[in-house]
Amino acid sequence: MSLRTRLLILVIAAMLVPAILVGLRFIQNRTSDVDAALAGLSAAANDILADLDEKIQGTAQLHYGLARARDLDTRDKAACSAFLSAVREEYTRYTGILTINPDGSLFCDSLRTDRTLDLRDRTYFRQALNAHGIVTLEPVFGRLTGISVLQIAYPVRTESGELRFILLASFNLKKFAEDHDRRLSDDSEILLVDRKGTVLVAPDSKEWTKPVGESIASSDLFRFAASPHREPFHEAAGREGRPRVWAAARSPSARDAGLHIMVGRPKDSLVAAANRRLYEDLAILAVASLLLLAGVWLLATIGIGRQVGRLAAMATKLGLGDLSARIAQPHPGGELGGLMTQFNSTAESLERQRAAIDELNQKLTQSQKMEAMGQLTGGVAHDFNNLLTVILGNAEHLAERLAPHKELSNIAESIATAAERGSDLTRSLLAFARKQPLMPKHIDIGQKILGMEPLLRRTLGEQIECEFKLDQNLWQASVDPGQLAAALLNLVLNARDAMPSGGKLTVEVKNTSLSETDVDVNGEARPGDYVMVAVTDTGTGMTAEVAGRAFEPFFTTKEVGKGTGLGLSMVYGFAQQSGGAMQMRSEPGHGTAVRLFFPRVRTSQPSAVPPTDQQAIPTGSETILVVEDDDMVRGYVEGELKALGYRVIVMPNASAALEILRGPENIDLLFTDVAMPGGMFGTELARQAGRLRPQLKILLTSGHTEHPAEAIDGTGRDVQILNKPYRRHDLASMLRAALKAN
């Protein structure tokens, strides 16, 4: 295929884009034009109805005035007709104004026809006989004029309420429709139909098939107008099959008047403007395409084959995945040269993007590994805590039973201590996996860090000097102690890695106050009183670019396998979640200083709870339903509860527990594990139990709680949770607290 042919095909393909855009624009314009036209039809119908309502109100006011005119208070028929004739000349919208005797006979009228009419068969007359102070309406064809009118009748009564006569004004619907028709667009038309489907005013269009006076009651158009479902629009075919779209005015006033007002328009006219713009755009596009094709043909004829060949060769290599391909110098001047430079720049950009993608894949792999580790940690922690619950409980029993035997009692205590240490290890694993919520306490941060001093010194090693500076009279702060320890350990580990050849690390804790000029790593000011924890090292430091990204997840300057890039991110998130702030200062060769700020709390620290062995273990006699899937834990809990005096019912899963709850058994409290097999967790069991028995007390237990206990039923009741492993006193105390809760 020749170069010119290729370029022409390329141009044609390129023109598809504007062609598609033209098509999209046409669709958008067509849709908006149709929507606007339909809205205009509906608005026009409602405007006509609103104007008719005004005319009816005006007629009512006219009737109220005429009812008090002395010229009508006469039995002189000629004088009465002359007076009404003069009034009608002032109000040309009426074909006639007349008075009707209570027996239904015509007394006088503005047309002075001196005819005898019996109007007792008219609906408006029958309604007016029983009306008081209001007008009655009926669209009909006038018997004197034969014109479609809206009869507006008003009963004139004496002070005692006796009917004197009925005033009737025949509002000219044909003239009313013609006036509005002149205001509408050229192709819009008005149709007026009474409640029986009789055409009162018909469109002048050749497409309309039913003349005035005929009925359209059996047509879809009339059913649309009278439909209570309030469909917005209706499409109906005309005489020659040309579809028209109709909108109907819908309001109580139109329904009461027995009149249906519709405005229609040919369907093809709704999109005429959009079609016209489409033709114009296509013409412009065609001219532009011809000019472009001619220019490309001329450019190809002049001779750019060799340069385009270089570009094609470059593109072929890129297409085959060779991102190292480049177009060698020299480049020609003009657009081709710029295009070659751009090709080279694009190749370089793609090469960088590929490297970035490879790096991102590595980070994704690491993230997936961490996620898998978190899932594994959570599962292990759950099973491990079940084991520890049994071990710790039985160790307590052994310690009590073997109290006279000091040596054996010490062994039992050692088992309990080991179990508690295992519990601490499990909590640390869960904190690492971020599978438990913060549990802030009012603590002295200085004392907490002093307790960690041996661990931190062992972590740093002998080659790094470590100094602790703690102020006196430190304020209390609300902090999760476990997360604080993890954050401090992360900072110390980062500092250790920044000092491979040794150095000095300083941990400082002091009271401080931040002003509006002191900002955190996000540049946000957090004025107030804080307890500051600063970790300063004399390591390699960071450049401004690295420091600016230090808190991004997965960003790390360490070698592969030496760090995840999550340490500072976790520390930053912990400080933010604790309501505090974080600052960092670092320079290459001058070390790094990271400061954490935790808000001061002014409430006093609650008094320490006396040791378990110094408190009386609360007992009870209520009935407790225990749901636990682990056989050992279930057996241990059953024995403990019976020893505490409770009546116990044990079930291995949620389904069996629900069967008990649906029965007549009297149960005071549901004590259920959270994580259980069978498709229903303890939280769902608690929710369903709350619905079955609203007064039932509920206590949850779990060795792996990722979220705090939330409301379990529609009442918004909160549920307490007892974390595994637990001692007998913890179990007894939580049971009593749950049973006494409101």
Side-chain angles (χ1 to χ4, degrees):
M1 189 179 294
S2 67
L3 172 64
R4 285 177 293 186
T5 303
R6 291 176 184 272
L7 289 175
L8 290 176
I9 293 175
L10 181 62
V11 170
I12 293 173
M15 294 308 297
L16 289 176
V17 175
I20 292 173
L21 293 178
V22 168
L24 292 176
R25 179 189 173 191
F26 167 69
I27 294 173
Q28 182 180 10
N29 289 340
R30 180 188 178 99
T31 301
S32 60
D33 286 355
V34 169
D35 291 343
L38 292 177
L41 283 179
S42 182
N46 289 321
D47 287 344
I48 294 172
L49 177 59
D51 187 34
L52 181 61
D53 286 341
E54 290 182 5
K55 296 296 191 296
I56 293 172
Q57 292 299 322
T59 304
Q61 294 298 325
L62 176 63
H63 280 336
Y64 299 156
L66 291 177
R68 292 163 177 77
R70 294 182 177 179
D71 295 285
L72 292 182
D73 190 13
T74 178
R75 297 313 298 168
D76 187 342
K77 186 174 183 179
C80 176
S81 297
F83 174 71
L84 291 179
S85 178
V87 173
R88 190 264 171 192
E89 289 178 1
E90 295 293 328
Y91 298 94
T92 58
R93 66 176 71 101
Y94 307 110
T95 61
I97 304 175
L98 49 90
T99 62
I100 307 171
N101 291 321
D103 61 359
S105 61
L106 174 64
F107 177 66
C108 64
D109 69 89
S110 60
L111 298 179
R112 303 184 187 184
T113 58
D114 200 24
R115 291 179 57 183
T116 300
L117 292 177
D118 185 358
L119 301 173
R120 286 177 296 176
D121 60 333
R122 293 295 199 183
T123 301
Y124 64 82
F125 175 78
R126 293 194 298 270
Q127 292 176 345
L129 289 176
N130 300 316
H132 293 269
I134 60 172
V135 295
T136 60
L137 309 171
E138 182 184 8
V140 296
F141 291 97
R143 290 179 176 175
L144 298 178
T145 61
I147 299 174
S148 59
V149 295
L150 178 63
Q151 300 287 28
I152 305 173
Y154 176 72
V156 181
R157 299 181 180 275
T158 64
E159 292 182 357
S160 61
E162 182 181 357
L163 180 65
R164 293 169 53 203
F165 58 86
I166 294 175
L167 264 172
L168 180 66
S170 301
F171 181 74
N172 192 334
L173 289 177
K174 186 174 186 303
K175 184 176 183 302
F176 174 74
E178 289 173 350
D179 291 342
H180 277 279
D181 190 60
R182 285 191 291 270
R183 303 173 192 171
L184 298 176
S185 59
D186 294 338
D187 52 0
S188 296
E189 54 198 17
I190 299 173
L191 172 64
L192 301 183
V193 182
D194 67 10
R195 60 165 51 94
K196 296 179 181 179
T198 304
V199 177
L200 300 174
V201 176
D204 293 333
S205 169
K206 297 179 180 179
E207 293 289 326
W208 183 253
T209 58
K210 296 290 185 179
V212 172
E214 288 197 16
S215 174
I216 62 169
S218 61
S219 67
D220 290 339
L221 180 59
F222 179 73
R223 284 190 287 272
F224 155 72
S227 171
H229 300 296
R230 299 185 176 272
E231 297 176 1
F233 306 102
H234 177 74
E235 182 177 326
R239 186 192 304 273
E240 298 179 1
R242 185 184 182 192
R244 308 180 77 79
V245 179
W246 294 90
R250 303 183 186 276
S251 78
S253 61
R255 185 172 61 252
D256 294 342
L259 182 65
H260 297 294
I261 301 175
M262 288 177 279
V263 178
R265 187 176 178 183
K267 185 177 180 181
D268 53 9
S269 71
L270 301 180
V271 295
N275 291 338
R276 184 172 58 256
R277 286 192 294 270
L278 174 63
Y279 300 148
E280 293 172 355
D281 291 343
L282 290 176
I284 295 173
L285 182 61
V287 172
S289 300
L290 290 174
L291 293 176
L292 185 58
L293 288 172
V296 170
W297 185 273
L298 180 62
L299 181 63
T301 303
I302 292 175
I304 58 172
R306 188 176 67 88
Q307 303 299 342
V308 173
R310 297 173 68 190
L311 290 169
M314 169 77 171
T316 300
K317 291 180 179 179
L318 291 178
L320 295 174
D322 183 8
L323 300 183
S324 63
R326 302 289 187 273
I327 300 177
Q329 296 285 353
H331 293 171
E335 289 79 1
L336 280 177
L339 186 58
M340 291 180 179
T341 302
Q342 185 64 37
F343 257 58
N344 285 345
S345 299
T346 301
E348 293 172 359
S349 176
L350 290 174
E351 200 167 18
R352 289 193 298 270
Q353 290 178 26
R354 174 176 287 179
I357 291 173
D358 292 340
E359 181 182 359
L360 185 60
N361 283 333
Q362 295 177 1
K363 292 180 178 179
L364 178 60
T365 301
Q366 181 71 5
S367 174
Q368 291 172 338
K369 181 182 73 174
M370 297 298 290
E371 180 66 21
M373 187 180 299
Q375 294 294 332
L376 176 62
T377 301
V380 169
H382 176 265
D383 292 338
F384 193 36
N385 276 331
N386 279 338
L387 296 175
L388 289 175
T389 299
V390 178
I391 294 172
L392 184 59
N394 288 322
E396 283 187 300
H397 278 297
L398 286 174
E400 292 176 359
R401 300 284 180 87
L402 299 174
H405 305 279
K406 189 64 176 179
E407 183 178 354
L408 295 178
S409 177
N410 289 339
I411 293 174
E413 288 291 346
S414 297
I415 295 174
T417 302
E420 288 183 341
R421 289 184 179 179
S423 175
D424 292 338
L425 174 60
T426 305
R427 282 193 291 270
S428 298
L429 289 174
L430 288 173
F432 165 75
R434 306 184 79 176
K435 293 293 184 179
Q436 67 178 12
L438 290 181
M439 293 183 289
K441 298 181 180 178
H442 294 184
I443 65 170
D444 184 332
I445 293 180
Q447 293 300 317
K448 176 65 178 178
I449 292 178
L450 280 179
M452 293 182 62
E453 181 178 351
L455 171 64
L456 298 180
R457 290 187 183 276
R458 289 196 301 271
T459 301
L460 288 171
E462 297 180 356
Q463 77 277 14
I464 298 176
E465 179 186 353
C466 185
E467 180 182 4
F468 289 81
K469 296 180 179 180
L470 306 179
D471 273 6
Q472 298 296 322
N473 301 318
L474 287 170
W475 294 327
Q476 293 275 304
S478 180
V479 185
D480 186 321
Q483 292 292 342
L484 174 64
L488 189 60
L489 188 59
N490 267 310
L491 294 177
V492 170
L493 288 172
N494 280 345
R496 183 195 66 184
D497 294 342
M499 298 182 289
S501 301
K504 181 178 180 180
L505 180 133
T506 304
V507 178
E508 181 182 9
V509 184
K510 68 176 184 179
N511 299 329
T512 187
S513 297
L514 299 181
S515 65
E516 292 288 348
T517 59
D518 298 310
V519 296
D520 61 12
V521 294
N522 290 324
E524 181 180 356
R526 294 176 178 267
D529 293 336
Y530 295 87
V531 178
M532 182 198 74
V533 179
V535 178
T536 306
D537 64 64
T538 59
T540 56
M542 293 179 279
T543 64
E545 179 181 0
V546 173
R549 299 186 59 193
F551 302 101
E552 295 180 8
F554 302 109
F555 177 78
T556 180
T557 58
K558 299 176 183 178
E559 299 177 7
V560 176
K562 293 295 184 65
T564 64
L566 288 173
L568 284 178
S569 299
M570 293 173 65
V571 175
Y572 166 77
F574 165 61
Q576 293 285 321
Q577 190 177 359
S578 300
M582 185 173 186
Q583 296 177 353
M584 187 178 72
R585 176 187 56 80
S586 184
E587 294 181 16
H590 292 82
T592 300
V594 178
R595 298 182 180 89
L596 302 179
F597 299 88
F598 299 100
R600 173 188 181 183
V601 292
R602 302 182 183 275
T603 56
S604 60
Q605 177 74 8
S607 59
V609 178
T612 302
D613 56 5
Q614 297 178 6
Q615 294 180 342
I617 297 179
T619 60
S621 59
E622 292 88 348
T623 300
I624 299 177
L625 174 60
V626 177
V627 187
E628 171 62 61
D629 63 294
D630 189 281
D631 295 338
M632 289 191 299
V633 177
R634 188 168 63 249
Y636 162 70
V637 173
E638 181 180 8
E640 288 288 353
L641 294 181
K642 287 182 177 178
L644 291 172
Y646 294 102
R647 178 174 175 263
V648 185
I649 302 173
V650 293
M651 288 294 157
N653 53 59
S655 300
L658 285 176
E659 290 299 323
I660 295 295
L661 292 172
R662 292 190 182 101
E665 189 76 35
N666 180 36
I667 297 173
D668 298 293
L669 181 139
L670 170 66
F671 181 49
T672 176
D673 191 13
V674 172
M676 292 188 295
M680 182 183 296
F681 277 17
T683 50
E684 178 61 25
L685 170 60
R687 186 178 295 110
Q688 294 195 28
R691 296 194 189 105
L692 291 172
R693 300 193 180 192
Q695 303 303 320
L696 180 67
K697 308 300 182 181
I698 298 174
L699 177 61
L700 300 181
T701 182
S702 177
H704 173 198
T705 305
E706 185 172 354
H707 301 291
E710 299 174 348
I712 61 165
D713 58 21
T715 65
R717 175 175 54 180
D718 289 333
V719 175
Q720 299 184 57
I721 186 163
L722 176 62
N723 289 319
K724 296 178 181 178
Y726 46 80
R727 287 184 175 272
R728 182 193 310 166
H729 186 278
D730 298 330
L731 174 62
S733 299
M734 288 294 286
L735 282 174
R736 295 316 307 170
L739 286 167
K740 292 178 181 179
N742 292 329

